[in-house]
Amino acid sequence: MPAGDCAVPRSADVVVVGAGAAGAVVAARLSASGADEVLLVEAGEDYRSADTPRAVRGADIGRALAARALRWPELPARLTPEQPPRPYVCGRGAGGSSAINGQLAVRGTRADFDAWVRAGCSGWSWPEVRPLFAALEQDLDFGDEPGHGARGPVPVSRRPMGGRGPVSAALHEAATGLGHAEHPDLNAEGATGISPTAWHRKDGVRASSNDSFLEPARDRPRLRVAGRHTVSRVLFSSGRVSGVELAGDGHREVVAAPAVVLCAGAVHSPAILMRSGVGPDDHLAALGIEVVAALPGVGAGLGEHPAALLDLRLTAAASALAARADSGCYLLRLPSGPGHTDDLQILPMDRTAGPGAGGLLVSLMRPESTGGVRLRSPDPADHPLLDLRLLADRRDLERLGRAVQHAAELLAHPAFREVADGGPARPPADLDGWLRERCRVLYHPSGTCRMGPEGEPGSVVDEEGRVLGVEGLWVADAAVMPVPCGVPPYLTTVMVAERLAAAIGSRLRRTR
Ligand SMILES: Cc1cc2nc3c(=O)[nH]c(=O)nc-3n(C[C@H](O)[C@H](O)[C@H](O)COP(=O)(O)OP(=O)(O)OC[C@H]3O[C@@H](n4cnc5c(N)ncnc54)[C@H](O)[C@@H]3O)c2cc1C
C-alpha cells in the first residue's frame, strides 16, 4: 500500500482520528485482533517509516522544527497578554508531534499520578501505571533493571559520554559542583537532580509513534490509513455516534461508524468535539452550532510548560565542539521550594539560533495557570484560538523566576568559563516583566478534554476515555490528562493511549 493513497471507505467499525503519538498506538492496538475494520484518518501526509523525511530522522530538533510540511501551518497562540500571538508548533502527518519533537523520553512520575488520583481518576495510580511504562520501552541502557523493560516497542537510549556537547558537559559539572544529586537513569523511581537525557531514539535515529507502533501494524488487512483527510466533525444520531465527516481539497465525505476515537491532540481533539456540538453550550450557541452534549470542560484547562532561554555566546572552541556533538545531553530536575516535587527542569542547549549560540532552557513543569482552546468559527479550515495564559497565576511567575535565578548561578560556575564568551548571562532586573514578555513554551499541550468524575464541571471523559453524555465516542490522547505532566509528555501520552486502547477494545468486544 503506498501510504497516503488509501481510498476512504464508506464505513468502518471504528474510526481513529489522528495518526499522531497516541493515534498510532490506538489504531495498532484496535486492529490487532482483526475483528474490527479500523480506519485511521490523518490530516497530514501519511508515509511509511522507511520514507520518513531526512530532516526529522536525526537528533537535531532545529532541523525538525524547520520541516514545515510536518506541522500545522500558521497555528497562532497567545502565550501571555504582554506578547503578540506567535506560531504554535503542533505536528501534522504520520507520527504527529512525535515525528518532530525533541525526542526526550522521560516517564511520568509518582507525583504526576498522585495528582491524577487527587483529580478523581480511579485506576490511574502510580502502582497501576508504572508497569505500563516498563512494558512500552526497550531501554537500551537499563532494560534489565527492575522496573524497566527491554522488549517494548519504544527504543530509549542515552548519548555516550564522548558525544555530549560543551554546554551539556559544563552543566553537568556545574550542577554536581553546586551539590545537585546525580542519577545515571532519569527514569528510575525517585531519580532527581542531573541525569543523562534519555531519548526515544536508536542509533541516533528518531523513533516516532509511526515507527514504533503503526509501521508494524501496516500490513493488517483490516487496518486502513487515510492521510491528507481532515475530520471536520463527528456525526450523531440520537446522542449516539453514527460516523465522521471528512473535509479536504474542496470535497466532503461521510464515513459511517458506530465508534470514533479522537486522537487529534490537545489542540484539535477539543476543536473537533466543539464543531460536533460537544462543548460549552454558550460558546457553541454563539457560533450557531447545535448542542449535542453540554460539556463546559471541552477546550478549558489547557496545560503548557512555560519556559525561558538564558542565552550564551559560545567560544570558538566550544562552538566547534557543539557543531559535532548532540545537544541537550543532560537534564537537571529540581524542586522550586519546599512542598514541590521536581517542578523545574533545566536543559542545556548546545546549539540554539546557529553557530556560536547556546544556552540553558529553563521550564516550569507543574504550572498552576491554565489556558484554553476555542473555535473561531465552525469551519474546519479556520484554526482554533489558543490562549495559553502562561504565568497568569502569580505562583508560576515566582517559581519560574526562581528557576531562572538558579540557572544564572549555574552559569556563573567556573565550568562555564571555557564555554561562554563574555561572562555569564544575568537575568534582567525586571525579571517578572521579562518573563511575561519573553517566555516561551515547550509545545506540550494537554488537559483540554480532561478525564474526571462524571458530574464535575471540568470533566469531559471518564477513566476509560469515554466522552460524557454521548455514546460511542472516546478521546485517547494528551488532551485527557487531568493535570499537566511534570515531565515531557510523550511517554505518558503513549502509556495513556495503550491503556485506553485496551479499555476501548474490550468495550467494542462486549458490544459486538
Ligand atoms: C516541537 C515539539 C517538541 C516536543 N518535544 C518533546 C520531547 O522532547 N519529549 C516529549 O516527551 N514530548 C515532546 N513534545 C510533546 C509530544 O510530542 C506530545 O505530547 C505528543 O506527541 C502528543 O501526542 P498526541 O497524540 O496527543 O498529539 P499529536 O502527536 O500532536 O498527534 C495529533 C495528530 O492528529 C492529527 N489531527 C489533528 N486534527 C485532525 C483532524 N481534524 N483530522 C485528522 N487528523 C487530525 C494531527 O495532524 C496529528 O498527526 C514535543 C512537541 C512538539 C510539538
Side-chain angles (χ1 to χ4, degrees):
M1 177 190 72
D5 289 347
C6 157
V8 178
R10 283 170 187 270
S11 67
D13 294 316
V14 54
V15 175
V16 180
V17 181
V25 175
V26 171
R29 294 298 168 235
L30 294 183
S31 60
S33 72
D36 292 305
E37 202 72 57
V38 178
L39 173 66
L40 174 59
V41 184
E42 167 54 46
E45 283 299 315
D46 180 35
Y47 51 84
R48 301 290 298 241
S49 185
D51 300 327
T52 303
R54 285 178 71 83
V56 301
R57 274 189 196 185
D60 190 343
I61 174 82
R63 284 195 76 197
L65 289 177
R68 302 188 84 82
L70 296 183
R71 60 194 249 199
W72 285 80
E74 288 150 34
L75 178 62
R78 187 175 284 282
L79 273 53
T80 66
E82 290 77 12
Q83 296 187 23
R86 55 160 78 195
Y88 189 77
V89 183
C90 214
R92 186 168 77 156
S97 298
S98 73
I100 58 164
N101 71 9
Q103 304 174 42
L104 272 73
V106 191
R107 291 179 180 186
T109 65
R110 180 183 287 276
D112 291 319
F113 294 95
D114 286 352
W116 285 46
V117 171
R118 281 198 300 279
C121 301
S122 58
W124 291 87
S125 68
W126 176 243
E128 287 163 296
V129 302
R130 192 180 175 208
L132 303 178
F133 280 112
L136 67 84
E137 72 182 16
Q138 181 201 2
D139 192 312
L140 299 164
D141 304 300
F142 297 102
D144 295 332
E145 300 284 322
H148 268 298
R151 279 173 291 282
V154 181
V156 174
S157 63
R158 295 150 190 83
R159 191 74 176 92
M161 208 59 157
R164 295 176 187 176
V167 181
S168 294
L171 177 66
H172 175 254
E173 194 183 329
T176 48
L178 290 187
H180 285 289
E182 183 174 10
H183 205 293
D185 171 18
L186 55 62
N187 284 325
E189 182 150 13
T192 183
I194 185 123
S195 304
T197 305
W199 283 302
H200 49 96
R201 184 189 294 171
K202 188 174 182 180
D203 300 329
V205 178
R206 173 191 297 274
S208 73
S209 282
N210 186 39
D211 307 308
S212 300
F213 296 94
L214 200 49
E215 185 59 33
R218 290 248 185 202
D219 294 331
R220 290 179 189 156
R222 306 199 77 197
L223 170 64
R224 298 218 203 173
V225 188
R228 275 182 268 143
H229 283 84
T230 301
V231 169
S232 47
R233 59 195 179 112
V234 180
L235 304 170
F236 296 95
S237 172
S238 309
R240 171 157 254 304
V241 163
S242 61
V244 293
E245 182 190 76
L246 310 179
D249 298 342
H251 65 275
R252 287 186 182 276
E253 296 172 63
V254 168
V255 179
V260 172
V261 186
L262 297 183
C263 297
V267 171
H268 293 100
S269 285
I272 296 170
L273 281 179
M274 289 189 271
R275 288 198 296 265
S276 313
V278 178
D281 50 359
D282 52 344
H283 180 52
L284 301 186
L287 293 171
I289 298 171
E290 192 187 330
V291 177
V292 175
L295 288 178
V298 174
L302 170 62
E304 244 299 357
H305 292 142
L309 181 70
L310 283 186
D311 290 309
L312 276 182
R313 204 172 59 204
L314 303 183
T315 60
S319 184
L321 269 178
R324 294 195 300 272
D326 275 350
S327 182
C329 296
Y330 284 95
L331 194 66
L332 174 60
R333 292 188 289 183
L334 63 156
S336 61
H340 293 287
T341 312
D342 284 357
D343 54 331
L344 304 179
Q345 175 186 291
I346 300 180
L347 186 67
M349 307 294 286
D350 292 274
R351 289 184 294 284
T352 52
L360 293 184
L361 184 63
V362 176
S363 44
L364 177 62
M365 303 306 284
R366 300 184 201 282
E368 302 289 338
S369 315
T370 53
V373 179
R374 288 266 163 148
L375 292 183
R376 208 181 291 266
S377 84
D379 184 346
D382 280 342
H383 287 304
L385 291 164
L386 298 185
D387 185 5
L388 300 182
R389 294 195 280 274
L390 299 178
L391 310 177
D393 188 305
R394 173 91 217 156
R395 291 168 293 178
D396 290 354
L397 198 59
E398 288 166 5
R399 287 191 293 153
L400 187 58
R402 282 204 285 279
V404 169
Q405 301 282 12
H406 189 65
E409 281 165 37
L410 289 159
L411 289 172
H413 189 275
F416 277 97
R417 256 184 231 143
E418 300 282 298
V419 173
D421 223 355
R426 287 183 206 289
D430 177 15
L431 186 52
D432 288 0
W434 182 77
L435 285 174
R436 287 196 182 103
E437 280 167 23
R438 299 284 297 277
C439 75
R440 44 182 73 201
V441 285
L442 298 186
Y443 305 113
H444 295 168
S446 69
T448 49
C449 302
R450 283 173 58 173
M451 187 187 293
E454 192 161 0
E456 277 199 12
S459 301
V460 175
V461 301
D462 70 6
E463 65 273 7
E464 288 186 19
R466 288 183 294 180
V467 177
L468 302 170
V470 294
E471 290 289 317
L473 182 59
W474 287 262
V475 182
D477 58 24
V480 306
M481 294 181 193
V483 279
C485 206
V487 296
Y490 175 62
L491 287 187
T492 302
T493 305
V494 168
M495 183 281 290
V496 165
E498 286 272 21
R499 172 101 199 248
L500 293 179
I504 296 165
S506 67
R507 282 270 160 200
L508 294 179
R509 279 195 294 282
R510 271 182 268 153
T511 52
R512 209 172 283 134

mmCIF file of all heavy atoms in Angstrom, residues 39-79:
data_model
loop_
_atom_site.group_PDB
_atom_site.id
_atom_site.type_symbol
_atom_site.label_atom_id
_atom_site.label_comp_id
_atom_site.label_asym_id
_atom_site.label_seq_id
_atom_site.Cartn_x
_atom_site.Cartn_y
_atom_site.Cartn_z
ATOM 1 N N LEU A 39 -10.348 2.317 10.640
ATOM 2 C CA LEU A 39 -9.903 3.368 9.721
ATOM 3 C C LEU A 39 -9.196 4.447 10.536
ATOM 4 O O LEU A 39 -9.778 5.009 11.470
ATOM 5 C CB LEU A 39 -11.103 3.979 8.987
ATOM 6 C CG LEU A 39 -10.761 5.206 8.120
ATOM 7 C CD1 LEU A 39 -9.852 4.834 6.950
ATOM 8 C CD2 LEU A 39 -12.039 5.890 7.611
ATOM 9 N N LEU A 40 -7.928 4.698 10.203
ATOM 10 C CA LEU A 40 -7.153 5.756 10.855
ATOM 11 C C LEU A 40 -7.075 6.940 9.895
ATOM 12 O O LEU A 40 -6.546 6.809 8.785
ATOM 13 C CB LEU A 40 -5.750 5.224 11.189
ATOM 14 C CG LEU A 40 -4.724 6.209 11.757
ATOM 15 C CD1 LEU A 40 -5.209 6.845 13.050
ATOM 16 C CD2 LEU A 40 -3.381 5.493 12.006
ATOM 17 N N VAL A 41 -7.611 8.068 10.311
ATOM 18 C CA VAL A 41 -7.662 9.252 9.434
ATOM 19 C C VAL A 41 -6.654 10.285 9.930
ATOM 20 O O VAL A 41 -6.667 10.650 11.114
ATOM 21 C CB VAL A 41 -9.072 9.891 9.454
ATOM 22 C CG1 VAL A 41 -9.134 11.053 8.469
ATOM 23 C CG2 VAL A 41 -10.136 8.864 9.121
ATOM 24 N N GLU A 42 -5.796 10.751 9.042
ATOM 25 C CA GLU A 42 -4.765 11.729 9.419
ATOM 26 C C GLU A 42 -4.832 12.933 8.484
ATOM 27 O O GLU A 42 -4.843 12.785 7.262
ATOM 28 C CB GLU A 42 -3.379 11.057 9.352
ATOM 29 C CG GLU A 42 -2.192 11.998 9.413
ATOM 30 C CD GLU A 42 -2.182 12.946 10.620
ATOM 31 O OE1 GLU A 42 -2.435 12.487 11.744
ATOM 32 O OE2 GLU A 42 -1.951 14.156 10.413
ATOM 33 N N ALA A 43 -4.835 14.124 9.099
ATOM 34 C CA ALA A 43 -4.950 15.347 8.296
ATOM 35 C C ALA A 43 -3.713 15.591 7.427
ATOM 36 O O ALA A 43 -3.817 16.111 6.320
ATOM 37 C CB ALA A 43 -5.166 16.549 9.229
ATOM 38 N N GLY A 44 -2.537 15.218 7.929
ATOM 39 C CA GLY A 44 -1.301 15.472 7.184
ATOM 40 C C GLY A 44 -0.913 14.296 6.311
ATOM 41 O O GLY A 44 -1.708 13.380 6.067
ATOM 42 N N GLU A 45 0.344 14.343 5.841
ATOM 43 C CA GLU A 45 0.849 13.270 4.972
ATOM 44 C C GLU A 45 0.952 11.961 5.747
ATOM 45 O O GLU A 45 1.408 11.958 6.888
ATOM 46 C CB GLU A 45 2.270 13.602 4.499
ATOM 47 C CG GLU A 45 2.371 14.616 3.406
ATOM 48 C CD GLU A 45 1.670 14.194 2.132
ATOM 49 O OE1 GLU A 45 1.818 13.034 1.705
ATOM 50 O OE2 GLU A 45 0.959 15.030 1.559
ATOM 51 N N ASP A 46 0.597 10.891 5.085
ATOM 52 C CA ASP A 46 0.907 9.582 5.661
ATOM 53 C C ASP A 46 2.132 9.042 4.922
ATOM 54 O O ASP A 46 2.262 9.233 3.711
ATOM 55 C CB ASP A 46 -0.275 8.630 5.488
ATOM 56 C CG ASP A 46 0.035 7.268 6.093
ATOM 57 O OD1 ASP A 46 0.744 7.230 7.123
ATOM 58 O OD2 ASP A 46 -0.401 6.249 5.523
ATOM 59 N N TYR A 47 3.039 8.425 5.638
ATOM 60 C CA TYR A 47 4.208 7.824 4.981
ATOM 61 C C TYR A 47 4.694 6.643 5.809
ATOM 62 O O TYR A 47 4.488 6.597 7.026
ATOM 63 C CB TYR A 47 5.342 8.855 4.786
ATOM 64 C CG TYR A 47 5.706 9.627 6.037
ATOM 65 C CD1 TYR A 47 6.598 9.106 6.969
ATOM 66 C CD2 TYR A 47 5.128 10.866 6.305
ATOM 67 C CE1 TYR A 47 6.916 9.797 8.121
ATOM 68 C CE2 TYR A 47 5.444 11.561 7.464
ATOM 69 C CZ TYR A 47 6.342 11.022 8.365
ATOM 70 O OH TYR A 47 6.644 11.699 9.512
ATOM 71 N N ARG A 48 5.310 5.684 5.110
ATOM 72 C CA ARG A 48 5.884 4.526 5.798
ATOM 73 C C ARG A 48 7.122 4.967 6.568
ATOM 74 O O ARG A 48 7.767 5.959 6.218
ATOM 75 C CB ARG A 48 6.273 3.435 4.783
ATOM 76 C CG ARG A 48 5.143 2.898 3.918
ATOM 77 C CD ARG A 48 4.154 2.069 4.686
ATOM 78 N NE ARG A 48 4.704 0.877 5.286
ATOM 79 C CZ ARG A 48 4.314 -0.383 5.017
ATOM 80 N NH1 ARG A 48 3.370 -0.610 4.117
ATOM 81 N NH2 ARG A 48 4.828 -1.406 5.643
ATOM 82 N N SER A 49 7.467 4.186 7.563
ATOM 83 C CA SER A 49 8.612 4.524 8.408
ATOM 84 C C SER A 49 9.877 4.749 7.578
ATOM 85 O O SER A 49 10.625 5.714 7.798
ATOM 86 C CB SER A 49 8.806 3.375 9.402
ATOM 87 O OG SER A 49 9.796 3.662 10.294
ATOM 88 N N ALA A 50 10.090 3.875 6.579
ATOM 89 C CA ALA A 50 11.313 3.975 5.769
ATOM 90 C C ALA A 50 11.338 5.242 4.927
ATOM 91 O O ALA A 50 12.404 5.650 4.455
ATOM 92 C CB ALA A 50 11.424 2.751 4.862
ATOM 93 N N ASP A 51 10.170 5.853 4.719
ATOM 94 C CA ASP A 51 10.101 7.075 3.906
ATOM 95 C C ASP A 51 10.102 8.352 4.747
ATOM 96 O O ASP A 51 9.788 9.438 4.239
ATOM 97 C CB ASP A 51 8.831 7.061 3.038
ATOM 98 C CG ASP A 51 8.819 5.864 2.092
ATOM 99 O OD1 ASP A 51 9.920 5.468 1.654
ATOM 100 O OD2 ASP A 51 7.729 5.326 1.816
ATOM 101 N N THR A 52 10.420 8.222 6.027
ATOM 102 C CA THR A 52 10.440 9.406 6.900
ATOM 103 C C THR A 52 11.379 10.464 6.325
ATOM 104 O O THR A 52 12.522 10.161 5.976
ATOM 105 C CB THR A 52 10.953 9.004 8.315
ATOM 106 O OG1 THR A 52 10.105 7.983 8.820
ATOM 107 C CG2 THR A 52 10.947 10.188 9.262
ATOM 108 N N PRO A 53 10.901 11.706 6.219
ATOM 109 C CA PRO A 53 11.780 12.761 5.688
ATOM 110 C C PRO A 53 13.091 12.852 6.491
ATOM 111 O O PRO A 53 13.072 12.779 7.720
ATOM 112 C CB PRO A 53 10.942 14.029 5.850
ATOM 113 C CG PRO A 53 9.526 13.550 5.889
ATOM 114 C CD PRO A 53 9.553 12.189 6.517
ATOM 115 N N ARG A 54 14.187 13.048 5.770
ATOM 116 C CA ARG A 54 15.512 13.063 6.412
ATOM 117 C C ARG A 54 15.598 14.118 7.512
ATOM 118 O O ARG A 54 16.235 13.906 8.533
ATOM 119 C CB ARG A 54 16.590 13.361 5.361
ATOM 120 C CG ARG A 54 16.901 12.190 4.465
ATOM 121 C CD ARG A 54 17.946 12.596 3.438
ATOM 122 N NE ARG A 54 19.256 12.778 4.053
ATOM 123 C CZ ARG A 54 20.102 11.784 4.309
ATOM 124 N NH1 ARG A 54 19.771 10.551 4.015
ATOM 125 N NH2 ARG A 54 21.265 12.019 4.860
ATOM 126 N N ALA A 55 14.951 15.251 7.287
ATOM 127 C CA ALA A 55 15.072 16.368 8.238
ATOM 128 C C ALA A 55 14.635 15.975 9.643
ATOM 129 O O ALA A 55 15.105 16.564 10.620
ATOM 130 C CB ALA A 55 14.238 17.551 7.754
ATOM 131 N N VAL A 56 13.727 15.020 9.764
ATOM 132 C CA VAL A 56 13.217 14.709 11.105
ATOM 133 C C VAL A 56 13.740 13.374 11.644
ATOM 134 O O VAL A 56 13.381 12.965 12.740
ATOM 135 C CB VAL A 56 11.666 14.724 11.153
ATOM 136 C CG1 VAL A 56 11.135 16.082 10.747
ATOM 137 C CG2 VAL A 56 11.048 13.635 10.284
ATOM 138 N N ARG A 57 14.582 12.697 10.891
ATOM 139 C CA ARG A 57 15.075 11.401 11.358
ATOM 140 C C ARG A 57 16.101 11.505 12.471
ATOM 141 O O ARG A 57 16.149 10.705 13.373
ATOM 142 C CB ARG A 57 15.762 10.682 10.205
ATOM 143 C CG ARG A 57 14.809 9.915 9.391
ATOM 144 C CD ARG A 57 15.540 9.064 8.422
ATOM 145 N NE ARG A 57 14.598 8.629 7.429
ATOM 146 C CZ ARG A 57 14.871 7.804 6.478
ATOM 147 N NH1 ARG A 57 16.074 7.296 6.380
ATOM 148 N NH2 ARG A 57 13.955 7.442 5.625
ATOM 149 N N GLY A 58 16.961 12.507 12.364
ATOM 150 C CA GLY A 58 18.122 12.566 13.249
ATOM 151 C C GLY A 58 17.818 13.235 14.572
ATOM 152 O O GLY A 58 16.664 13.366 14.985
ATOM 153 N N ALA A 59 18.899 13.684 15.217
ATOM 154 C CA ALA A 59 18.789 14.200 16.581
ATOM 155 C C ALA A 59 18.523 15.698 16.647
ATOM 156 O O ALA A 59 18.211 16.214 17.708
ATOM 157 C CB ALA A 59 20.099 13.887 17.314
ATOM 158 N N ASP A 60 18.639 16.393 15.523
ATOM 159 C CA ASP A 60 18.641 17.847 15.562
ATOM 160 C C ASP A 60 17.223 18.421 15.578
ATOM 161 O O ASP A 60 16.523 18.428 14.559
ATOM 162 C CB ASP A 60 19.418 18.364 14.339
ATOM 163 C CG ASP A 60 19.689 19.859 14.411
ATOM 164 O OD1 ASP A 60 19.024 20.531 15.216
ATOM 165 O OD2 ASP A 60 20.556 20.333 13.656
ATOM 166 N N ILE A 61 16.796 18.928 16.723
ATOM 167 C CA ILE A 61 15.445 19.488 16.856
ATOM 168 C C ILE A 61 15.271 20.708 15.950
ATOM 169 O O ILE A 61 14.181 20.958 15.431
ATOM 170 C CB ILE A 61 15.111 19.820 18.341
ATOM 171 C CG1 ILE A 61 13.755 20.540 18.513
ATOM 172 C CG2 ILE A 61 16.175 20.648 19.011
ATOM 173 C CD1 ILE A 61 12.581 19.673 18.524
ATOM 174 N N GLY A 62 16.366 21.437 15.717
ATOM 175 C CA GLY A 62 16.284 22.624 14.848
ATOM 176 C C GLY A 62 15.841 22.229 13.442
ATOM 177 O O GLY A 62 14.979 22.876 12.842
ATOM 178 N N ARG A 63 16.409 21.157 12.931
ATOM 179 C CA ARG A 63 16.026 20.687 11.585
ATOM 180 C C ARG A 63 14.576 20.199 11.587
ATOM 181 O O ARG A 63 13.830 20.426 10.642
ATOM 182 C CB ARG A 63 16.937 19.540 11.132
ATOM 183 C CG ARG A 63 18.306 19.998 10.687
ATOM 184 C CD ARG A 63 19.013 18.902 9.925
ATOM 185 N NE ARG A 63 18.509 18.736 8.583
ATOM 186 C CZ ARG A 63 18.710 17.660 7.820
ATOM 187 N NH1 ARG A 63 19.402 16.640 8.287
ATOM 188 N NH2 ARG A 63 18.230 17.576 6.605
ATOM 189 N N ALA A 64 14.201 19.516 12.673
ATOM 190 C CA ALA A 64 12.818 19.007 12.743
ATOM 191 C C ALA A 64 11.818 20.163 12.758
ATOM 192 O O ALA A 64 10.784 20.120 12.086
ATOM 193 C CB ALA A 64 12.650 18.125 13.981
ATOM 194 N N LEU A 65 12.160 21.209 13.512
ATOM 195 C CA LEU A 65 11.234 22.350 13.594
ATOM 196 C C LEU A 65 11.136 23.089 12.268
ATOM 197 O O LEU A 65 10.126 23.722 11.972
ATOM 198 C CB LEU A 65 11.678 23.310 14.699
ATOM 199 C CG LEU A 65 11.479 22.789 16.120
ATOM 200 C CD1 LEU A 65 12.015 23.780 17.131
ATOM 201 C CD2 LEU A 65 10.006 22.509 16.400
ATOM 202 N N ALA A 66 12.198 22.982 11.471
ATOM 203 C CA ALA A 66 12.178 23.674 10.170
ATOM 204 C C ALA A 66 11.375 22.884 9.128
ATOM 205 O O ALA A 66 11.099 23.405 8.043
ATOM 206 C CB ALA A 66 13.611 23.887 9.687
ATOM 207 N N ALA A 67 10.993 21.667 9.429
ATOM 208 C CA ALA A 67 10.237 20.842 8.467
ATOM 209 C C ALA A 67 8.761 21.270 8.493
ATOM 210 O O ALA A 67 7.904 20.636 9.103
ATOM 211 C CB ALA A 67 10.384 19.360 8.816
ATOM 212 N N ARG A 68 8.475 22.353 7.834
ATOM 213 C CA ARG A 68 7.157 22.987 7.973
ATOM 214 C C ARG A 68 6.025 22.131 7.430
ATOM 215 O O ARG A 68 4.881 22.263 7.854
ATOM 216 C CB ARG A 68 7.168 24.371 7.316
ATOM 217 C CG ARG A 68 8.235 25.283 7.900
ATOM 218 C CD ARG A 68 8.102 26.686 7.383
ATOM 219 N NE ARG A 68 7.125 27.445 8.144
ATOM 220 C CZ ARG A 68 7.384 28.037 9.301
ATOM 221 N NH1 ARG A 68 8.575 27.947 9.837
ATOM 222 N NH2 ARG A 68 6.455 28.718 9.931
ATOM 223 N N ALA A 69 6.343 21.236 6.483
ATOM 224 C CA ALA A 69 5.274 20.396 5.932
ATOM 225 C C ALA A 69 4.740 19.422 6.978
ATOM 226 O O ALA A 69 3.661 18.853 6.808
ATOM 227 C CB ALA A 69 5.805 19.618 4.727
ATOM 228 N N LEU A 70 5.496 19.233 8.070
ATOM 229 C CA LEU A 70 5.084 18.253 9.075
ATOM 230 C C LEU A 70 4.473 18.915 10.302
ATOM 231 O O LEU A 70 4.464 18.351 11.382
ATOM 232 C CB LEU A 70 6.281 17.382 9.490
ATOM 233 C CG LEU A 70 6.855 16.508 8.380
ATOM 234 C CD1 LEU A 70 7.980 15.637 8.902
ATOM 235 C CD2 LEU A 70 5.767 15.626 7.751
ATOM 236 N N ARG A 71 4.035 20.151 10.155
ATOM 237 C CA ARG A 71 3.330 20.791 11.271
ATOM 238 C C ARG A 71 2.143 21.584 10.748
ATOM 239 O O ARG A 71 2.061 21.889 9.558
ATOM 240 C CB ARG A 71 4.283 21.663 12.067
ATOM 241 C CG ARG A 71 4.921 22.771 11.265
ATOM 242 C CD ARG A 71 6.078 23.346 12.029
ATOM 243 N NE ARG A 71 5.757 24.689 12.448
ATOM 244 C CZ ARG A 71 6.672 25.586 12.807
ATOM 245 N NH1 ARG A 71 7.944 25.246 12.856
ATOM 246 N NH2 ARG A 71 6.320 26.785 13.156
ATOM 247 N N TRP A 72 1.233 21.899 11.656
ATOM 248 C CA TRP A 72 0.055 22.681 11.269
ATOM 249 C C TRP A 72 0.523 24.080 10.900
ATOM 250 O O TRP A 72 1.210 24.720 11.697
ATOM 251 C CB TRP A 72 -0.970 22.703 12.406
ATOM 252 C CG TRP A 72 -1.679 21.397 12.502
ATOM 253 C CD1 TRP A 72 -1.191 20.271 13.089
ATOM 254 C CD2 TRP A 72 -2.951 21.061 11.955
ATOM 255 N NE1 TRP A 72 -2.098 19.238 12.945
ATOM 256 C CE2 TRP A 72 -3.187 19.694 12.260
ATOM 257 C CE3 TRP A 72 -3.918 21.752 11.239
ATOM 258 C CZ2 TRP A 72 -4.350 19.029 11.865
ATOM 259 C CZ3 TRP A 72 -5.083 21.086 10.863
ATOM 260 C CH2 TRP A 72 -5.284 19.751 11.165
ATOM 261 N N PRO A 73 0.169 24.544 9.711
ATOM 262 C CA PRO A 73 0.685 25.845 9.291
ATOM 263 C C PRO A 73 -0.022 26.989 10.004
ATOM 264 O O PRO A 73 -1.237 26.948 10.197
ATOM 265 C CB PRO A 73 0.379 25.869 7.785
ATOM 266 C CG PRO A 73 -0.739 24.914 7.589
ATOM 267 C CD PRO A 73 -0.709 23.914 8.725
ATOM 268 N N GLU A 74 0.779 27.953 10.398
ATOM 269 C CA GLU A 74 0.251 29.214 10.939
ATOM 270 C C GLU A 74 -0.801 29.054 12.022
ATOM 271 O O GLU A 74 -1.849 29.695 11.992
ATOM 272 C CB GLU A 74 -0.325 30.066 9.804
ATOM 273 C CG GLU A 74 0.755 30.645 8.924
ATOM 274 C CD GLU A 74 0.298 30.836 7.507
ATOM 275 O OE1 GLU A 74 -0.881 31.139 7.310
ATOM 276 O OE2 GLU A 74 1.132 30.665 6.596
ATOM 277 N N LEU A 75 -0.547 28.138 12.921
ATOM 278 C CA LEU A 75 -1.460 27.970 14.056
ATOM 279 C C LEU A 75 -1.043 29.003 15.108
ATOM 280 O O LEU A 75 0.025 28.903 15.691
ATOM 281 C CB LEU A 75 -1.298 26.550 14.595
ATOM 282 C CG LEU A 75 -2.094 26.141 15.809
ATOM 283 C CD1 LEU A 75 -3.583 26.203 15.526
ATOM 284 C CD2 LEU A 75 -1.714 24.727 16.231
ATOM 285 N N PRO A 76 -1.851 30.045 15.326
ATOM 286 C CA PRO A 76 -1.394 31.105 16.230
ATOM 287 C C PRO A 76 -1.781 30.825 17.690
ATOM 288 O O PRO A 76 -2.822 30.229 17.955
ATOM 289 C CB PRO A 76 -2.138 32.334 15.711
ATOM 290 C CG PRO A 76 -3.369 31.788 15.066
ATOM 291 C CD PRO A 76 -3.162 30.332 14.745
ATOM 292 N N ALA A 77 -0.946 31.279 18.610
ATOM 293 C CA ALA A 77 -1.274 31.144 20.037
ATOM 294 C C ALA A 77 -0.863 32.418 20.752
ATOM 295 O O ALA A 77 0.159 33.017 20.436
ATOM 296 C CB ALA A 77 -0.522 29.969 20.641
ATOM 297 N N ARG A 78 -1.680 32.815 21.727
ATOM 298 C CA ARG A 78 -1.266 33.918 22.606
ATOM 299 C C ARG A 78 -0.710 33.279 23.874
ATOM 300 O O ARG A 78 -1.394 32.508 24.548
ATOM 301 C CB ARG A 78 -2.453 34.830 22.920
ATOM 302 C CG ARG A 78 -2.015 36.071 23.691
ATOM 303 C CD ARG A 78 -3.177 37.025 23.893
ATOM 304 N NE ARG A 78 -3.531 37.792 22.706
ATOM 305 C CZ ARG A 78 -2.865 38.853 22.264
ATOM 306 N NH1 ARG A 78 -1.795 39.274 22.893
ATOM 307 N NH2 ARG A 78 -3.272 39.501 21.191
ATOM 308 N N LEU A 79 0.556 33.594 24.178
ATOM 309 C CA LEU A 79 1.195 32.969 25.337
ATOM 310 C C LEU A 79 0.866 33.721 26.620
ATOM 311 O O LEU A 79 0.531 33.113 27.638
ATOM 312 C CB LEU A 79 2.716 32.893 25.124
ATOM 313 C CG LEU A 79 3.261 31.663 24.386
ATOM 314 C CD1 LEU A 79 2.586 31.431 23.054
ATOM 315 C CD2 LEU A 79 4.772 31.738 24.215
#
